[in-house]
């Protein structure tokens, strides 16, 4: 079972007066898929009618940049844009063992200046070469983990999770895990409601906990995934009810043991872990998008009492419900009703 991936040193950035500037470094040869993720997701963030991020792609040598697929991409900006960025993202590269010293230096200087640093897939090798992962928890794509561990033994490598945040340093595993990391960044900066809207716009899953495993060694046949998907959707529509493992298994039409096995193979966590995560996310969204009293937020999200809501939110987000609402709410003062429909 995957562990939690948020260190006690993780921080929430302070909102600025304008969009947060994000420098995405295309470390050559760059992965086109990795490179597209930050621009695709962060560029869709809108806050109070304006952009939440200003994303700029840069490279050590502006101009044609080779990709791992054999094509060239034209990148207009050099590494000088890193100096004016609030956050730096290093995406996957096919030359992870010998990163460009200029890229390493730019990332090291950015970290020293207090900027947030993130990597997707093999971009972690650049962060490691810059010394930013020494003594920190980090991750990378599972089939590169042993090489990263061998080359940089001071890293506390967790190779079975989607992403890790340790203070201002964030790392993700391969491919789609970069999507999860970017949504985590949006949630950290602007809250669950904004992140969920971005996910809906991009047609991706809004919430996959960082502690979810990268892959399963014995994946289920596709047809077996349908029952769990239907049951997850049903549970999402009934989060305010006291759902049990027996309730979930009954809806799926299987035994509790079979449900647990299939659910873990599909999602990387147990049914009750998944259910708790969704309830906390629902509570966060209600805190952001309504002015409901805390006991009603707790009831509507299935967390029971205001005390339970407080305990879970402090443990998961490091904020009390009131503090979370103060930081992320963008509403007026009119309470909004919450309804739940059973399927």
């Amino acid at each position: 079972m995957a562990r939690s991936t948020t260190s006690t040193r993780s921080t929430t950035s302070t909102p600025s007066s304008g969009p947060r500037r994000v420098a995405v470094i295309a470390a050559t040869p760059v992965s086109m898929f990795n490179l597209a993720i930050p621009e695709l997701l962060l560029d869709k963030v809108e806050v109070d009618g304006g952009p939440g991020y200003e994303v700029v792609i840069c490279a050590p040598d502006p101009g044609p940049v080779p990709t791992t697929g054999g094509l060239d991409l034209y990148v207009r900006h050099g590494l000088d844009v890193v100096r004016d960025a609030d956050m730096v993202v290093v995406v996957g590269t096919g030359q992870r063992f010998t990163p460009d010293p200029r890229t390493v230096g730019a990332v090291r200087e950015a970290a020293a200046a207090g900027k947030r640093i993130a990597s997707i897939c093999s971009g972690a090798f650049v962060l490691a070469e810059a010394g930013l992962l020494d003594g920190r928890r980090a991750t990378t794509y599972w089939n590169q983990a042993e090489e990263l561990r061998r080359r940089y033994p001071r890293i506390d490598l967790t190779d079975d999770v989607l992403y890790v945040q340790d203070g201002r340093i964030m790392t993700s595993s391969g491919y789609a895990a970069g999507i999860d990391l970017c949504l985590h960044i949006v949630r950290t900066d602007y809250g669950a409601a904004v992140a969920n809207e971005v996910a809906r716009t991009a047609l991706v899953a809004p919430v996959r906990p960082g502690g979810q495993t990268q892959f399963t060694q014995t994946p289920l046949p596709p047809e077996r995934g349908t029952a769990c998907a239907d049951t997850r959707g049903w549970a999402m529509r009934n989060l305010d009810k006291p759902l049990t493992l027996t309730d979930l298994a009954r809806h799926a039409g299987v035994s509790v043991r079979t449900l647990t096995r299939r659910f873990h193979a599909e999602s990387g966590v147990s049914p009750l872990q998944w259910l708790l995560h969704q309830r906390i996310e629902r509570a966060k969204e209600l805190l952001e998008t309504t002015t409901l009293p805390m006991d009603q937020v707790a009831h509507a999200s299935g967390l029971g009492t205001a005390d339970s809501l407080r305990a879970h939110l402090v443990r998961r987000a490091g904020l009390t419900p009131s503090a979370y609402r103060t930081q992320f709410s963008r509403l007026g003062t009119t309470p909004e009703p919450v309804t739940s429909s059973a399927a």
Side-chain angles (χ1 to χ4, degrees):
M1 183 171 62
R3 297 177 292 169
S4 168
T5 58
T6 303
S7 165
T8 55
R9 288 184 287 178
S10 38
T11 57
T12 300
S13 61
T14 303
S16 59
S17 57
R20 291 172 167 83
R21 295 179 297 274
V22 181
V24 180
I25 300 180
T28 59
V30 66
S31 164
M32 290 188 293
F33 182 83
N34 284 183
L35 185 64
I37 291 172
E39 190 278 332
L40 173 66
L41 294 173
L42 301 183
D43 197 51
K44 293 185 182 301
V45 175
E46 291 189 7
V47 181
D48 296 337
Y53 298 96
E54 176 188 345
V55 181
V56 180
I57 298 174
C58 61
D61 296 305
V65 172
T67 71
T68 54
L71 302 176
D72 283 350
L73 296 177
Y74 191 87
V75 177
R76 294 187 178 90
H77 302 283
L79 294 176
D80 55 299
V81 302
V82 172
R83 290 193 296 270
D84 296 323
D86 301 304
M87 180 170 63
V88 180
V89 180
V90 183
V91 301
T93 172
Q95 197 172 349
R96 57 187 181 274
F97 300 150
T98 55
D100 190 305
R102 293 171 294 176
T103 299
V104 173
V107 170
R108 186 184 291 123
E109 290 177 10
K115 304 178 190 294
R116 287 185 297 173
I117 312 294
S119 67
I120 298 175
C121 196
S122 56
F125 284 82
V126 176
L127 273 58
E129 184 66 19
L132 304 186
L133 303 183
D134 289 352
R136 292 185 180 272
R137 295 190 60 228
T139 193
T140 190
Y141 191 35
W142 64 269
N143 68 357
Q144 300 168 2
E146 285 306 315
E147 184 64 24
L148 184 65
R149 182 180 286 112
R150 186 185 68 80
R151 289 175 176 266
Y152 305 98
R154 295 184 62 186
I155 300 175
D156 181 8
L157 188 64
T158 306
D159 56 5
D160 62 345
V161 297
L162 296 178
Y163 60 84
V164 173
Q165 176 172 354
D166 190 330
R168 291 185 174 271
I169 308 298
M170 295 168 277
T171 53
S172 74
S173 59
Y175 299 102
I179 297 174
D180 299 297
L181 176 61
C182 285
L183 289 176
H184 168 72
I185 291 169
V186 176
R187 283 196 302 274
T188 300
D189 289 344
Y190 297 112
V194 174
N196 290 345
E197 182 60 32
V198 171
R200 283 191 289 269
T201 303
L203 298 178
V204 297
V207 177
R208 289 206 300 172
Q212 181 171 320
T213 53
Q214 293 186 27
F215 69 101
T216 57
Q217 295 181 350
T218 55
L220 296 173
E223 63 272 18
R224 289 190 178 182
T226 304
C228 283
D230 291 344
T231 298
R232 285 195 297 271
W234 172 78
M236 289 290 291
R237 295 189 295 273
N238 291 275
L239 286 178
D240 60 323
K241 296 179 174 59
L243 301 178
T244 65
L245 269 176
T246 300
D247 296 328
L248 297 173
R250 183 182 299 117
H251 182 273
V254 297
S255 68
V256 168
R257 182 175 180 179
T258 298
L259 173 78
T260 301
R261 175 174 56 82
R262 290 182 180 178
F263 210 102
H264 195 282
E266 242 182 66
S267 67
V269 293
S270 73
L272 293 184
Q273 286 175 317
W274 177 89
L275 190 61
L276 176 60
H277 187 90
Q278 302 306 325
R279 283 175 165 159
I280 294 172
E281 289 299 314
R282 174 67 58 81
K284 288 162 66 176
E285 188 159 1
L286 290 173
L287 289 170
E288 296 168 29
T289 60
T290 77
T291 55
L292 288 171
M294 298 306 173
D295 57 344
Q296 292 186 36
V297 171
H299 175 75
S301 58
L303 291 174
T305 66
D307 287 341
S308 177
L309 167 65
R310 178 187 177 90
H312 284 297
L313 199 62
V314 167
R315 186 179 304 114
R316 188 66 60 91
L319 295 170
T320 65
S322 296
Y324 187 91
R325 173 171 275 167
T326 298
Q327 180 159 338
F328 292 114
S329 177
R330 300 177 183 276
L331 293 180
T333 58
T334 304
E336 300 180 10
V338 176
T339 60
S340 174
S341 58

